[in-house]
Amino acid sequence: MEKDYFIPAEPYGEDRFEEKRSKFTGRLWHVETPEEATAKIREMRETYWDAAHNCWAYILREGNMMRYSDDGEPQGTAGLPILEVLRHEGLVDVCCVVTRYFGGILLGTGGLVRAYTEGAKIAVAAAGVQRMSLYDVLLVACPYHLYETVLHMLPGFDCAAEDTDFGADVTLTCTIPAGGAAALNRALADATAGTVYAEVMESKFMGRRVK
């Protein structure tokens, strides 16, 4: 079974702070390709062309790709700290740019690492984090007199009814954590004398916000 992974909960997050008169803004996006990531980086460079630095990092799930840049800051003080924040959160399909407007006071190597780490952290907090887990999509057809029985059973299996069609029978389209259909079907068989069965139609990743 494919493993869970984490992505930004929102398409975009932004926050800012000031450190010794230098102004830092962290921005974070959900991206899925190198082209999307580099387009966001290029947009920040063009929009904030007068900033001292636009340092960045991105991680893509496809190919486990990781890239970062210090954009003129001392080596290892900006891009890598941003990347480490993303890695610590377990995020993929994410791009973060921290923009700095220099305030005239040098921060030193340690100060820069702390500042760019903070810039990435506040950007992650602004966008939030969601866990992507594999779910099975089920089709459950039942006669009307068993509808309430079936409906009340679903939450016990972390199964959610996403759509309901009231035709000759009631047909529920449900989602359940991958692999959970077998246990649900055993319970359905017991509760409905074997008349109701959940059929797995497909599997797909779905997100739930965790931060």
Side-chain angles (χ1 to χ4, degrees):
M1 185 181 297
E2 293 186 72
K3 293 182 179 179
D4 291 0
Y5 61 96
F6 298 88
I7 65 171
E10 302 294 337
Y12 175 66
E14 175 184 329
D15 204 351
R16 61 196 67 209
F17 71 99
E18 188 169 323
E19 180 68 22
K20 294 183 179 178
R21 295 193 293 200
S22 279
K23 296 179 179 179
F24 293 86
T25 303
R27 298 178 175 89
L28 184 140
W29 300 264
H30 176 212
V31 297
E32 295 184 347
T33 66
E35 291 77 17
E36 287 182 53
T38 54
K40 295 300 183 185
I41 296 163
R42 183 171 60 251
E43 179 185 348
M44 293 302 96
R45 284 174 168 168
E46 292 174 353
T47 302
Y48 304 103
W49 57 269
D50 56 339
H53 308 279
N54 287 287
C55 305
W56 56 266
Y58 68 83
I59 302 175
L60 301 176
R61 181 168 175 255
E62 185 70 29
N64 193 30
M65 181 182 294
M66 301 183 191
R67 300 286 187 273
Y68 64 90
S69 170
D70 295 311
D71 191 37
E73 293 282 31
Q75 185 175 358
T77 63
L80 187 57
I82 295 170
L83 181 71
E84 287 302 320
V85 170
L86 304 182
R87 292 180 62 189
H88 177 75
E89 294 288 348
L91 285 167
V92 295
D93 293 343
V94 60
C95 175
C96 181
V97 178
V98 179
T99 300
R100 179 191 185 189
Y101 280 88
F102 183 53
I105 300 175
L106 296 176
L107 300 184
T109 300
L112 287 172
V113 170
R114 288 190 293 273
Y116 282 101
T117 297
E118 179 66 13
K121 284 182 175 179
I122 62 176
V124 170
V129 176
Q130 67 175 335
R131 179 195 295 269
M132 300 297 291
S133 302
L134 194 62
Y135 281 75
D136 290 331
V137 180
L138 310 177
L139 207 60
V140 183
C142 65
Y144 278 82
H145 72 279
L146 291 174
Y147 170 57
E148 291 295 333
T149 299
V150 171
L151 196 63
H152 284 101
M153 290 179 61
L154 301 182
F157 295 86
D158 196 16
C159 184
E162 307 290 345
D163 190 38
T164 307
D165 180 59
F166 296 97
D169 287 326
V170 182
T171 303
L172 302 167
T173 302
C174 306
T175 53
I176 191 171
L184 175 62
N185 272 324
R186 286 193 293 271
L188 286 172
D190 290 342
T192 67
T195 59
V196 178
Y197 176 78
E199 182 182 0
V200 179
M201 306 303 292
E202 64 171 330
S203 298
K204 64 179 181 180
F205 277 97
M206 296 174 59
R208 290 189 176 182
R209 186 165 184 146
V210 294
K211 288 186 179 180

